[in-house]
Amino acid sequence: GQNIDQPTEMTATEGAIVQINCTYQTSGFNGLFWYQQHAGEAPTFLSYNVLDGLEEKGRFSSFLSRSKGYSYLLLKELQMKDSASYLCAVSESNYQLIWGAGTKLIIKP
Amino acid sequence: TAGITQAPTSQILAAGRSMTLRCTQDMRHNAMYWYRQDLGLGLRLIHYSNTAGTTGKGEVPDGYSVSRANTDDFPLTLASAVPSQTSVYFCASSETSGESNEQFFGPGTRLTVL
């Protein structure tokens, strides 16, 4: 069956680095997305990986290993505004997205 | 540019009543989607439309219907609401339905069915 796993909640300190992991088992693979969702708001796009390796975009980086069914989102120099939920989603063979339940990231001063 | 708008922002609905959630996008995107988001669960696809005039069923389509008469609008109808349809509903769109297409989300409709 199809399954996406992410930790439910993580806590980190302002200025630090945090890594949010995502493992997946899906029928087909056409890429993996990371979205950010602040409480009470809509999800917004952060990154897309379709090939193995690291994609860096400012303070945020995303890594993919297709053979391991594994991705992570790395957030550097954490700021209070990074407190949000981070959603992992896999694009399946039909290009529809299967979503993880999200990881709530709490940033402490 | 407004992007995607949804209406209403929130609604309390009596069980058994019907309701239409509205969604409009001004980006001329071909593909549109309706999701529901429940605590502890990932976004779940209800219905989708790859282009105007076509629709398809997602993961949880029962109790919902959609239409796509034109590119911009993608309304979601609950014919006879039940309490299990209490959720936050997000409409989304993407340029096409293919590879690497980032989905853009509306602000959501919070629906409570009593």
Side-chain angles (χ1 to χ4, degrees):
Chain A
Q2 51 201 24
N3 192 47
I4 298 184
D5 287 318
Q6 343 177 199
T8 302
E9 185 174 299
M10 299 182 69
T11 302
T13 304
E14 190 177 14
I17 299 173
V18 70
Q19 177 175 311
I20 302 173
N21 296 325
C22 172
T23 59
Y24 64 88
Q25 285 181 301
T26 55
S27 54
F29 181 83
N30 279 312
L32 186 144
F33 292 82
W34 284 96
Y35 278 75
Q36 180 190 59
Q37 184 177 25
H38 285 100
E41 297 183 8
T44 55
F45 171 81
L46 285 178
S47 67
Y48 171 74
N49 295 66
V50 66
L51 299 177
D52 290 351
L54 187 68
E55 295 275 346
E56 298 187 75
K57 193 185 292 186
R59 294 189 298 114
F60 293 8
S61 303
S62 56
F63 172 84
L64 175 67
S65 169
R66 289 172 297 173
S67 63
K68 295 182 179 179
Y70 169 68
S71 173
Y72 67 72
L73 181 70
L74 190 71
L75 292 73
K76 304 176 184 177
E77 302 169 15
L78 286 170
Q79 302 175 10
M80 297 303 292
K81 67 178 182 179
D82 297 330
S83 292
S85 288
Y86 292 86
L87 315 181
C88 172
V90 171
S91 178
E92 291 198 297
S93 301
N94 59 4
Y95 298 105
Q96 289 182 11
L97 297 186
I98 302 298
W99 297 79
T103 299
K104 182 178 180 180
L105 178 63
I106 300 168
I107 310 296
K108 295 186 174 181
Chain B
T1 301
I4 300 183
T5 59
Q6 292 184 237
T9 302
S10 65
Q11 182 75 44
I12 298 174
L13 188 66
R17 301 297 293 267
S18 66
M19 176 167 187
T20 296
L21 280 60
R22 299 185 297 279
C23 174
T24 300
Q25 53 104 357
D26 63 2
M27 297 176 284
R28 308 303 293 172
H29 283 174
N30 284 310
M32 296 187 75
Y33 314 86
W34 273 106
Y35 291 96
R36 60 178 290 173
Q37 187 174 41
D38 302 289
L39 198 63
L41 299 177
L43 288 161
R44 292 184 290 168
L45 184 64
I46 304 171
H47 285 287
Y48 65 93
S49 169
N50 288 336
T51 189
T54 70
T55 62
K57 294 181 179 180
E59 181 186 353
V60 289
D62 294 344
Y64 306 94
S65 63
V66 292
S67 62
R68 186 89 184 276
N70 57 60
T71 299
D72 300 343
D73 301 300
F74 191 43
L76 176 74
T77 297
L78 288 67
S80 179
V82 294
S84 63
Q85 291 178 309
T86 294
S87 187
V88 180
Y89 291 86
F90 286 103
C91 179
S93 72
S94 61
E95 192 170 336
T96 70
S97 55
E99 184 176 337
S100 79
N101 273 285
E102 172 189 348
Q103 292 186 13
F104 295 81
F105 284 80
T109 293
R110 184 175 296 275
L111 179 66
T112 302
V113 182
L114 300 176

